[in-house]
């Protein structure tokens, strides 16, 4: 899952929207195979040939008779043993390449080769979609209070540099911008240019987190820069949403390079700064950007209506700090094994809708791969994408079975888009878990994972998540087990995110839910984007008889 780190990225000029009647598609080299994605089709040619020409998008075709209790058959085939084998393959890729699988590194290339080999063995024809982006590189960082009380703050504990922060050494007075330290601490601090009315140019802006999915850290920083701020400090909001730490250290990305230094802090640091008269700070950030080349891996089922494509995605890259086995080897392994077993179990009963399995690159650098993929779709491709199912972190040690809140009922104040059909995706997951006698809980569409570009383009989306740096509550521990007061994944974005950082029972349960949902949306003939109910053409998903995996 995306949060900032020492290296981060933003899309380069490759992010060009292709529409019918505009310039020709951009090709990505993949050995001797070229890949282009414009109308939603991953066409492959050996140096020539024609892609397909879609008909009217989004209309269901003739239903294919399913196998009785097909979901149970597929879930039985998607075993934890096989999923864990894939995690071992990804761990091997990291171990042989400086301990990580970050985009643009040999470890990512080795991970891609492993995925491609497994897909080819199952009969798929995977293709690479290449892209480039600017990656943030942090060399050094410092935050000090120079007045009234000289104080040196600790990097990584009290503050951290936002990805794509500008470089600079600035000492200046601090001006708070529309912050709220009382009550529920609801705020849109820095979200509007009007928030900076009366702001003294040259000051450092003190801004509070908040404002929902449409008010990013990048927007806050850009508004501050436009108002003449010499630097920005963004502190955590200090409220208590369900699965998100709003008191700890803000470790965020601006999405694109800033012209001024920008750091994030804890709520406690921000609150103390806001209450200090005569405050002056020094921000000293040495950072820059470098161009990184990466790729997505796309693999389509050979049958199914291409004008009703279900994009099933998981990001393949890790952060540089570790091998990223939970984040997000777990999601990649689950969709890989689902793809393998789907090819086998549906040989005699082809799917209603095409499924495109997507292994995204550059997620940890700002959702680069998925953003690039969607940017390359023309209108027919956007219209012909039935849904996006996103799976990011499925084996957190202190997990909760989170389902993205597609209907907005749990997070009514969220400003993130919820395209029509997202509610149905949420319902399918909730009903599946209920049928297994397993609890689930909603999680906000926060824009922190690869569904973001899809929902911003009015494509229904949903998926699963088992928790990252957020802290498990007493109520969650009572329902899901685990330890209250501790992070869902204590190794999130750390070196210890390896094979020992997986909740095997939880990963087994989540992998089964992945398989069920993929098959459900591959079979449905519902007008999902028109608000139709998804009526699975499968027998009801029966309760799992036993746990098919290793002990915790």
């Amino acid at each position: 899952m995306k949060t900032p780190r020492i290296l981060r990225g933003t899309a380069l000029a490759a992010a060009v929207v292709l529409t019918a009647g505009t310039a020709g598609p951009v090709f990505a080299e993949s050995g001797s195979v070229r890949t282009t994605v414009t109308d939603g089709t991953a066409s492959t040619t050996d140096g020539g040939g024609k892609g397909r020409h879609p008909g009217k998008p989004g209309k269901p075709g003739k239903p294919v008779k399913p196998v009785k209790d097909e979901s149970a058959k597929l879930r039985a085939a998607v075993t934890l043993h096989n999923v864990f084998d894939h995690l071992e393959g990804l761990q091997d890729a990291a171990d042989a390449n400086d301990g990580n699988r970050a985009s643009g590194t040999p470890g990512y290339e080795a991970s891609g080769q492993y995925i491609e080999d497994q897909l080819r063995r199952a009969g798929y024809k995977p293709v690479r979609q290449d892209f480039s982006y600017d990656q943030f590189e942090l060399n050094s960082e410092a935050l000090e209070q120079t007045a009234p009380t000289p104080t040196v703050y600790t990097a990584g504990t009290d503050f951290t540099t936002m990805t794509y922060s500008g470089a600079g050494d600035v000492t200046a007075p601090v001006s708070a911008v529309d912050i709220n330290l009382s009550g529920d601490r609801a705020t849109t601090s820095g979200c509007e240019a009007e928030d900076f009315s009366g702001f003294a140019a040259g000051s450092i802006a003190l801004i509070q987190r908040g404002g929902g999915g449409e008010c990013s850290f990048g927007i806050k920083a850009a508004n501050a820069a436009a108002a003449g701020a010499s630097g920005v400090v963004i502190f955590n909001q200090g409220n208590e949403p369900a699965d998100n730490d709003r008191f700890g250290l803000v470790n965020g990305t601006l999405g694109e390079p800033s012209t001024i230094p920008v750091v994030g802090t804890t709520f406690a640091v921000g609150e103390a700064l806001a209450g200090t008269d005569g405050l002056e700070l020094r921000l000293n950030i040495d950072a820059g950007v470098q161009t990184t080349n990466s790729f997505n891996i796309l693999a389509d089922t050979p049958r199914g209506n291409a004008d009703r494509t279900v994009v099933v995605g998981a990001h393949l890259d890790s952060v540089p700090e570790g091998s990223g086995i939970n984040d997000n080897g777990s999601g990649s392994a689950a969709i890989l094994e689902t793809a393998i077993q789907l090819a086998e179990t549906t040989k005699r009963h082809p799917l209603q809708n095409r499924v495109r399995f997507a292994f995204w690159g550059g997620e940890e650098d700002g959702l680069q791969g998925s953003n690039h993929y969607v940017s390359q779709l023309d209108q027919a491709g956007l219209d012909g994408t039935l849904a996006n199912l996103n799976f990011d972190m499925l084996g957190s040690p202190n997990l909760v079975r989170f389902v993205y809140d597609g209907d907005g009922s749990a997070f009514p104040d969220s400003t993130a888009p919820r395209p029509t059909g997202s509610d149905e995706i949420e319902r399918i997951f909730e009903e599946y878990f209920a049928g297994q006698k397993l609890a689930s809980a909603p999680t906000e569409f926060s824009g922190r994972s690869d569904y973001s570009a899809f929902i911003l383009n009015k494509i229904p989306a949903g998926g699963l998540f088992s928790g990252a740096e957020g802290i498990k509550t007493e109520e969650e521990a009572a329902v899901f087990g685990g330890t209250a007061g501790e992070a869902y994944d204590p190794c999130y974005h750390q070196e210890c995110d390896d094979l020992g950082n997986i909740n095997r029972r939880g990963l087994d349960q989540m992998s089964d839910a992945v398989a069920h949902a993929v098959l459900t949306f591959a079979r449905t003939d519902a007008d999902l984007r028109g608000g139709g109910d998804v009526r699975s053409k499968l027998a009801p998903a029966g309760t799992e008889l036993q746990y098919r995996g290793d002990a915790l």
Side-chain angles (χ1 to χ4, degrees):
M1 172 163 282
K2 169 185 70 69
T3 50
R5 52 178 174 81
I6 292 180
L7 294 177
R8 278 289 184 272
T10 189
L12 204 60
V16 178
V17 177
L18 296 178
T19 59
T22 64
V26 177
F27 287 90
E29 297 298 326
S30 179
S32 62
V33 177
R34 297 190 302 173
T35 307
T36 175
V37 181
T38 57
D39 63 357
T41 301
S43 304
T44 61
T45 67
D46 295 315
K50 299 180 180 179
R52 58 175 293 280
H53 298 277
K56 190 173 182 180
K59 297 300 182 181
K62 183 178 180 181
V64 177
K65 183 179 180 181
V67 178
K68 183 179 180 181
D69 206 8
E70 193 176 15
S71 170
K73 291 179 183 293
L74 179 59
R75 287 181 285 123
V78 177
T79 65
L80 176 63
H81 176 83
N82 290 347
V83 173
F84 212 82
D85 278 351
H86 300 318
L87 292 181
E88 290 175 343
L90 297 176
Q91 182 71 63
D92 289 345
D95 290 345
N97 294 283
D98 298 322
N100 74 77
R101 303 182 302 101
S103 260
T105 68
Y108 185 74
E109 173 63 34
S111 299
Q113 291 181 10
Y114 175 83
I115 297 293
E116 290 166 333
D117 179 65
Q118 294 295 314
L119 289 168
R120 289 189 184 104
R121 289 169 183 256
Y124 290 91
K125 297 178 180 179
V127 295
R128 290 191 179 190
Q129 182 187 38
D130 292 343
F131 58 92
S132 298
Y133 59 96
D134 282 345
Q135 192 175 52
F136 180 70
E137 184 171 6
L138 176 64
N139 300 312
S140 64
E141 57 186 340
L143 174 64
E144 304 173 33
Q145 181 180 151
T146 55
T149 306
T151 306
V152 176
Y153 297 97
T154 302
T157 301
D158 300 319
F159 81 98
T160 190
T161 301
M162 290 266 183
T163 298
Y164 295 120
S165 166
D169 187 350
V170 177
T171 300
V174 176
S175 179
V177 178
D178 192 29
I179 64 176
N180 177 18
L181 301 180
S182 62
D184 61 4
R185 299 177 179 135
T187 181
T188 58
S189 170
C191 294
E192 304 290 341
E194 291 76 15
D195 294 343
F196 294 86
S197 177
F199 183 84
S203 298
I204 293 173
L206 180 64
I207 298 176
Q208 188 174 7
R209 182 182 186 178
E214 293 183 355
C215 180
S216 65
F217 297 134
I219 290 174
K220 292 172 183 280
N223 286 337
S230 60
V232 178
V233 175
I234 301 177
F235 66 96
N236 218 339
Q237 188 169 355
N239 58 344
E240 297 183 351
D243 67 315
N244 204 334
D245 178 11
R246 291 298 179 105
F247 285 89
L249 184 61
V250 171
N251 187 10
T253 181
L254 303 179
E256 59 184 29
S258 174
T259 57
I260 58 177
V262 183
V263 301
T265 75
T266 64
F267 174 75
V269 168
E271 185 180 37
L273 294 177
T276 302
D277 293 330
L279 178 65
E280 183 180 85
L281 292 178
R282 180 191 181 201
L283 277 173
N284 186 7
I285 307 299
D286 180 10
V289 296
Q290 62 182 10
T291 299
T292 296
N293 299 315
S294 191
F295 57 88
N296 299 321
I297 297 173
L298 309 174
D300 293 343
T301 53
R303 302 283 294 275
N305 186 347
D307 293 332
R308 288 170 56 82
T309 296
V310 181
V311 178
V312 178
H315 76 86
L316 183 58
D317 61 315
S318 75
V319 294
E321 289 80 3
S323 52
I325 296 304
N326 185 37
D327 184 15
N328 180 40
S330 60
S332 294
I335 72 167
L336 175 60
E337 187 59 21
T338 297
I340 291 169
Q341 299 305 330
L342 187 70
E344 182 64 30
T345 58
T346 60
K347 281 182 177 178
R348 297 179 61 186
H349 299 275
L351 298 171
Q352 170 91 352
N353 305 316
R354 180 176 68 179
V355 179
R356 170 166 292 163
F357 293 96
F359 300 83
W360 308 120
E363 190 269 1
E364 298 291 2
D365 295 328
L367 312 179
Q368 299 300 326
S370 54
N371 285 344
H372 177 75
Y373 171 83
V374 175
S375 78
Q376 299 301 289
L377 297 176
D378 63 11
Q379 192 59 51
L382 293 170
D383 292 343
T385 303
L386 182 67
N388 169 237
L389 304 181
N390 185 71
F391 303 105
D392 193 353
M393 302 181 67
L394 302 186
S396 298
N398 198 24
L399 96 169
V400 168
R401 289 178 289 274
F402 285 119
V403 177
Y404 289 116
D405 182 31
D407 64 5
S409 60
F411 299 90
D413 296 330
S414 174
T415 58
R418 291 186 295 270
T420 301
S422 300
D423 54 344
E424 283 295 293
I425 297 174
E426 179 186 18
R427 183 177 67 83
I428 290 297
F429 283 114
E430 289 178 338
E431 290 184 355
Y432 169 77
F433 283 126
Q436 303 302 305
K437 303 188 187 308
L438 295 171
S440 64
T443 188
E444 184 181 3
F445 266 141
S446 62
R448 285 183 60 183
S449 195
D450 288 300
Y451 58 80
S452 178
F454 292 89
I455 62 174
L456 289 173
N457 283 276
K458 302 180 181 180
I459 296 171
L464 302 176
F465 168 55
S466 62
E469 80 277 30
I471 305 301
K472 178 171 277 189
T473 66
E474 293 282 355
E475 294 79 8
E476 289 170 342
V479 174
F480 297 95
T483 306
E486 294 188 3
Y488 303 113
D489 182 355
C491 288
Y492 176 64
H493 283 191
Q494 299 179 48
E495 183 179 0
C496 56
D497 186 9
D498 54 22
L499 290 173
N501 192 46
I502 292 292
N503 182 326
R504 297 191 181 207
R505 185 183 296 272
L507 179 59
D508 187 45
Q509 295 165 346
M510 298 288 257
S511 296
D512 282 351
V514 170
H516 176 74
V518 170
L519 189 59
T520 296
F521 287 97
R523 285 286 186 218
T524 186
D525 61 357
D527 181 11
L528 180 66
R529 298 182 66 171
D533 289 343
V534 172
R535 290 292 179 256
S536 172
K537 295 186 176 302
L538 314 173
T543 301
E544 201 69 62
L545 296 179
Q546 61 180 358
Y547 167 56
R548 304 184 315 278
D550 301 328
L552 285 169

